[in-house]
Every structure is written in structure tokens, then in C-alpha cells.
Amino acid sequence: MKSTLHLSLPDFLLKRADGFVATHPEARMREVISWSRENITAGEGPFAAGVFDLDTGACVGAGVNRVVASNCSPAHAEMMALMFAQQQLGTHDLSTRGRFVLTSSAQPCSQCFGALPWSGIRRLEFGADREEVESIGFDEGPFSPNWRDQLASRNIEVHGPLLGDEAAEVLRDYRHAGGPLY
């Protein structure tokens, strides 16, 4: 049995996210959607996410879906972005280092939704909604119809769908190209 787990991000994402700053939600979302499109080109899934400082707009963590590449089912874009942001800032709770937003190309699945309250983010912005994700064949898991209220009760604002048509187009392109569903 191995004692370590190695998760990595593709080079394109490291280059694009490093130093990226966007104070407006639409600018953050456009960038994240472009990461999701580029991740398909790199042979991976159609999802991307970033953690941004709400005061400065600086990207402090980025992620794309790495499930297949890492042989790790939890390696969703949101999880990767949160983990890398927490590592970058040296904390398991982002709220101890400022105010942060998770910007995701799609509404988080039930796994990623579960991580949000403990991550320390203060806002969630998402592109495509869960119906769009499921319409191409992904299983998003069980979900409560009052999920927005659940996050609000934990002081997490929800904004989305934001640029939902653009985000959904990436999903449809992925399915049309025959990308694996997992």
C-alpha cells in the first residue's frame, strides 16, 4: 500500500491560472470556462474551477477534472481547486485567510457540494446547472431541492447559473466528441 497520494494539475492550467486576476464574476467565469474547454483538448473531463480572493480578484487555486488521469474518483475540478488553494494558503479553512469565492464551470455535484461548507469559501459561482450536466450523461448524485438555502445558512452566497449557455456548450461539445462519462 502507498503512503502518499500525488495529484497534479496540467501545465496549461498552471500557466493560465498563475497571476490571473479578475474582480468581476463574469470575467472569472469566462476564464474558468476556457480552462474547462482546454481540459477537454488535453484529454480530460469538461469541468474547471478556481478559488479567487474576493477583495483582490487574485486566483489562489485552480482545478480541472483529473479523475481519469489520476485514477482518483474524488479528483473533481472543485475539489482540486479547493485543495490547491488551501495548500497555497497553508490552511484547511480558507475563511481564516480572507474572503474567497469558488467559481466553477458547473453546479457542484453532491460530493463537491459537501465540501463547500468546510472549505471556508464565502461565495459559490457556477456556470452550467446540474440539469445540463446530467443531460449529457454525468451522474451528479443525490441532491436536496433546497441546496441554495443550505449554503445560505452557512453564510455562503450562491450565484448562478452564470454564463450558463457558454458553460453548457462545453459540456455538449465534450459529449459530441465522445468523452467518457464517469
Side-chain angles (χ1 to χ4, degrees):
M1 179 165 64
K2 293 183 178 184
S3 64
T4 60
L5 173 67
H6 296 282
L7 294 173
S8 62
L9 296 172
D11 288 340
F12 83 82
L13 184 60
L14 296 172
K15 291 175 188 169
R16 300 266 313 267
D18 187 37
F20 180 79
V21 176
T23 56
H24 292 88
E26 290 82 8
R28 289 190 291 264
M29 185 59 70
R30 276 200 178 82
E31 183 67 12
V32 167
I33 290 170
S34 74
W35 298 345
S36 69
R37 186 170 295 286
E38 196 159 348
N39 203 44
I40 295 171
T41 303
E44 277 290 329
F47 304 102
V51 176
F52 299 89
D53 185 306
L54 278 166
D55 296 321
T56 67
C59 182
V60 298
V64 289
N65 190 285
R66 301 288 287 166
V67 169
V68 175
S70 65
N71 294 311
C72 184
S73 62
H76 291 197
E78 298 93 338
M79 300 297 285
M80 299 290 283
L82 290 168
M83 289 187 293
F84 280 102
Q86 291 168 337
Q87 289 287 300
Q88 175 74 21
L89 297 174
T91 181
H92 67 281
D93 181 354
L94 295 173
S95 70
T96 66
R97 298 290 191 268
R99 296 177 331 113
F100 297 93
V101 56
L102 175 68
T103 303
S104 177
S105 63
Q107 182 180 337
C109 69
S110 38
Q111 170 193 255
C112 297
F113 174 82
L116 298 180
W118 298 302
S119 70
I121 63 161
R122 289 292 143 236
R123 181 183 296 168
L124 167 66
E125 299 166 343
F126 69 92
D129 62 25
R130 97 182 259 110
E131 289 78 21
E132 289 285 354
V133 176
E134 290 177 335
S135 75
I136 69 162
F138 279 98
D139 178 359
E140 294 298 276
F143 226 64
S144 170
N146 64 341
W147 66 275
R148 287 176 186 263
D149 294 334
Q150 291 171 344
L151 291 179
S153 74
R154 304 292 286 266
N155 297 316
I156 300 172
E157 298 174 32
V158 178
H159 298 272
L162 181 64
L163 304 178
D165 291 339
E166 292 176 39
E169 181 181 342
V170 174
L171 296 171
R172 289 188 294 272
D173 290 348
Y174 177 78
R175 187 63 186 138
H176 182 71
L181 301 173
Y182 39 85

